[in-house]
Amino acid sequence: MSKTIRAAAWVVVLLGAAVAVAQPVPLPGVPEPEKLKLGVAVPLAPALPGEPIFDPNVVQGQQLLPPVAAPGGVQPTIPDSPRVTAPTGVVTTPGLAASPVSEPPPPTVRIQIQTPAHIAPGNPIPYKLIVVNSSAATAYRVKVRVPAPEGAATLTKVEPRPDNVKEFAVPAPVGNELTWEFKSLGKGERKVIELEFTPQPGAKDVRARAYVSFEHGQEVVTQVEKPKLTVTKAATKAVARGEPVTVEVRVTNAGTMPIHKVRLVEQATGGFAFKTGANAQTTQRTDQRAWDLGTLGRGQSKIVTYQLTGGRPQGGELITTSNATSADGGIAETAEAKTRILVPDLGFTLNGPASVESRGAAEYEAEVRNNGTLPLTNVVVSIPIPDDCLPTKVTKDAKRYPDRVSWTIPKMAPGEAHKFRLAVTANTSGKRVVRATARDQAGAVSAERDVATVFLGRADLRWEPNVPALLAVGKRAQITVRVRNEGEESDKGVSPRVNIPDGLRVITATPGPATQILAGEVVFDAVEIKPGKDEVFTVTVERTQPGRLRVGLRLEATSLGEKPLLKEQTIE
């Protein structure tokens, strides 16, 4: 189980702004003057009584502290894993390349104060504080701080309410500083704070300042993970007695960190001896060899190849076991491979379908192979014809008998193989077992294989819909649908539908009780009808109005597929 260690570093960035008297900037919402004279605006219309006269020569506040640049990121790299080279026996594959680490962009938060550069005595001074995240990164714990303005007497307006004052109402005397805190400020997001201060009597100017600060941090995650080795191996599946067996072992670092001091120990059974193995070391056991593989980098593999010879005279099975360990990590992984040691032998396989649809053909394929080291003569392959079946296709040069089909191979060299095919159809459904045999002339080697095939039947539905030809108003009658299965298999999805026109009223419908009686249609739940059986579906109706009525009938079933049976009958 891996664990995670998280580390975070935060940089608090402080930005500030204050009132300035530099280049003029138009105040939002204030119309442009018709003309300017010596920096004094002439408004288009006189101000309302009691309304302060705004001077449109408004400038941005000066930035008190420059934004703090986020430190540049460091892109870690993983050094190349050492490559082990050997003349024979050990091959090293490259490990995974280092992946670049991108540095997230730092946030930038700016604050701007907008206020008239001039105002008449006694009028409140409006302030608009605009806090904007002008970067692509989110800033967290954004705090706006406004100390008490110098020269201000009364606070007459504040929106939104400061976070550091629990009970607050305006007008209020100027006191301690006001603060607002925002949890985060996303890309391009802005916050607006509106204030009004009344100047002190006789004040020549009022100086207001606003500060913004935020946190910029980074978090890194380090996985605490146990090193992991994987061992896979491949060996010759089968060899003739006396032939060498080649074994290939791949040891891979499947973890995320280098693994040091990797050691591979191979052990063989069955009387075999190690023939080759470059850089191999002997151990206290004669049936073992060891390899020091050194360090495996992340994703790196080392492949060890060796050969074994000998074995027991009677053949059997060779089992090689791999054990890979790492001393510094306490890792141990094992793998196993098996090899068949063949004396003169005959390999034989038979493939065929597990089931065949009704009236379909079952195709069988037999393969005979000389897995030994000596030639075989007059090898006979025989495939019986199942009961109540007829052959439809056979491989050429076949000899046909009433109960079987056979082929003769005059001579088979070691490793030589032949394939034969037979296709049959069945007259009836049921399970057949095909047991094929292969043997040589001397009878020294033989083999037999069998395949069970189920020949499926098919449901064959016949239906007899019956609708009364005459029915008086107020009288009742029955509409019946008789369905019979004349096939060899059951049909579990038989469901008639009866369309009821206006003028008929449904009284009952059987079988039930789950039968659905919908508006204008009776839908019977699907039932199973076994071979040779039938089912009668009945709808009792009452005539409610005169005239000619048309009743539509539809039979849906699994065996019918997408082509249901349809019929329409008339009631006078």
Side-chain angles (χ1 to χ4, degrees):
M1 180 180 296
S2 65
K3 298 182 179 179
T4 302
I5 297 178
R6 296 180 179 271
W10 299 92
V11 177
V12 178
V13 180
L14 178 65
L15 300 176
V19 178
V21 288
Q23 297 298 324
V25 177
L27 182 67
V30 177
E32 290 289 338
E34 292 181 350
K35 60 180 180 177
L36 296 177
K37 183 179 181 182
L38 299 178
V40 179
V42 180
L44 295 176
L48 298 176
E51 181 180 2
I53 299 176
F54 287 95
D55 188 334
N57 297 321
V58 180
V59 295
Q60 293 183 349
Q62 293 181 345
Q63 186 169 283
L64 297 180
L65 293 176
V68 179
V74 178
Q75 179 173 311
T77 59
I78 301 175
D80 292 337
S81 302
R83 181 177 296 272
V84 179
T85 58
T88 58
V90 180
V91 178
T92 303
T93 65
L96 298 178
S99 57
V101 178
S102 60
E103 180 70 16
T108 301
V109 179
R110 304 181 184 279
I111 189 169
Q112 179 189 44
I113 303 177
Q114 292 183 350
T115 187
H118 306 277
I119 199 164
N123 289 326
I125 306 174
Y127 296 90
K128 180 180 288 188
L129 279 60
I130 302 174
V131 183
V132 181
N133 182 353
S134 58
S135 66
T138 300
Y140 296 92
R141 296 184 182 178
V142 179
K143 183 176 181 180
V144 177
R145 181 170 59 89
V146 178
E150 299 175 9
T154 306
L155 175 63
T156 57
K157 177 182 177 182
V158 56
E159 291 181 3
R161 197 185 75 175
D163 294 328
N164 65 331
V165 181
K166 294 183 178 180
E167 296 181 0
F168 188 82
V170 292
V174 175
N176 296 329
E177 68 178 13
L178 306 176
T179 61
W180 293 261
E181 294 185 6
F182 306 102
K183 185 177 180 180
S184 63
L185 205 62
K187 173 185 176 181
E189 188 177 357
R190 57 187 290 166
K191 301 289 183 181
V192 178
I193 300 172
E194 295 185 0
L195 300 168
E196 276 187 0
F197 288 98
T198 302
Q200 296 176 0
K204 298 299 183 180
D205 57 34
V206 176
R207 185 177 299 273
R209 292 181 175 86
Y211 302 86
V212 64
S213 62
F214 63 92
E215 289 188 354
H216 165 51
Q218 291 187 356
E219 181 183 54
V220 294
V221 178
T222 301
Q223 301 288 337
V224 181
E225 183 178 335
K226 183 179 179 181
K228 183 179 180 181
L229 279 177
T230 60
V231 181
T232 57
K233 65 187 309 182
T236 309
K237 297 298 182 183
V239 296
R241 185 181 56 201
E243 293 182 353
V245 177
T246 302
V247 181
E248 182 182 276
V249 185
R250 179 185 292 264
V251 183
T252 304
N253 180 357
T256 57
M257 63 191 73
I259 302 178
H260 307 282
K261 300 181 180 179
V262 179
R263 180 177 174 84
L264 173 66
V265 177
E266 289 289 308
Q267 181 174 330
T269 62
F272 278 79
F274 286 87
K275 179 182 178 182
T276 60
N279 299 334
Q281 304 170 5
T282 59
T283 67
Q284 296 179 352
R285 299 182 53 162
T286 57
D287 59 352
Q288 283 186 348
R289 289 292 185 273
W291 287 262
D292 288 329
L293 304 182
T295 299
L296 287 180
R298 180 170 65 101
Q300 190 179 29
S301 299
K302 293 188 179 181
I303 302 172
V304 176
T305 305
Y306 61 90
Q307 286 187 328
L308 297 165
T309 57
R312 300 187 182 97
Q314 69 273 22
E317 188 175 60
L318 165 65
I319 301 177
T320 58
T321 304
S322 303
N323 184 17
T325 60
S326 172
D328 59 349
I331 309 169
E333 292 293 331
T334 60
E336 185 179 87
K338 298 180 180 180
T339 301
R340 291 174 56 209
I341 309 303
L342 301 176
V343 294
D345 194 8
L346 190 67
F348 186 57
T349 60
L350 178 66
N351 295 314
S355 63
V356 178
E357 296 294 334
S358 174
R359 300 182 179 88
E363 185 170 330
Y364 301 92
E365 180 183 84
E367 180 181 9
V368 61
R369 179 181 298 273
N370 182 0
N371 289 326
T373 58
L374 297 176
L376 299 176
T377 58
N378 293 329
V379 177
V380 178
V381 176
S382 178
I383 303 179
I385 299 174
D387 295 339
D388 200 21
C389 292
L390 294 175
T392 60
K393 183 172 61 175
V394 295
T395 304
K396 66 177 182 178
D397 298 331
K399 293 183 179 180
R400 299 193 182 189
Y401 300 92
D403 60 343
R404 71 185 187 279
V405 176
S406 67
W407 297 265
T408 300
I409 307 168
K411 185 177 181 180
M412 289 187 67
E416 184 179 350
H418 295 270
K419 292 183 179 180
F420 306 97
R421 293 181 177 87
L422 169 67
V424 299
T425 58
N427 296 322
T428 59
S429 61
K431 180 180 179 181
R432 271 82 168 178
V433 178
V434 176
R435 178 164 294 175
T437 59
R439 65 182 70 248
D440 72 332
Q441 182 183 30
V445 290
S446 64
E448 62 179 18
R449 298 288 184 270
D450 55 19
V451 172
T453 302
V454 177
F455 289 84
L456 302 175
R458 186 177 65 178
D460 188 6
L461 299 182
R462 299 287 186 270
W463 74 328
E464 297 177 7
N466 185 16
V467 177
L470 299 174
L471 183 61
V473 175
K475 298 297 183 178
R476 296 184 179 183
Q478 289 183 337
I479 300 173
T480 61
V481 178
R482 180 183 295 273
V483 184
R484 180 173 180 80
N485 185 357
E486 298 181 357
E488 299 176 346
E489 294 292 329
S490 295
D491 194 321
K492 298 181 179 181
V494 180
S495 173
R497 292 172 175 258
V498 180
N499 179 261
I500 306 299
D502 294 340
L504 291 180
R505 181 170 64 91
V506 177
I507 304 301
T508 60
T510 58
T515 300
Q516 303 178 41
I517 303 176
L518 306 174
E521 188 177 36
V522 176
V523 181
F524 291 91
D525 275 3
V527 298
E528 178 183 3
I529 301 181
K530 296 182 178 180
K533 302 296 182 180
D534 56 12
E535 184 75 35
V536 178
F537 302 87
T538 304
V539 180
T540 303
V541 296
E542 180 181 338
R543 186 70 177 265
T544 60
Q545 63 185 41
R548 175 174 291 183
L549 305 179
R550 294 186 183 274
V551 178
L553 300 104
R554 178 188 182 98
L555 179 64
E556 298 178 350
T558 304
S559 61
L560 298 175
E562 298 180 355
K563 298 181 179 180
L565 300 178
L566 304 173
K567 191 171 184 179
E568 187 178 80
Q569 290 187 227
T570 303
I571 300 177
E572 295 290 348

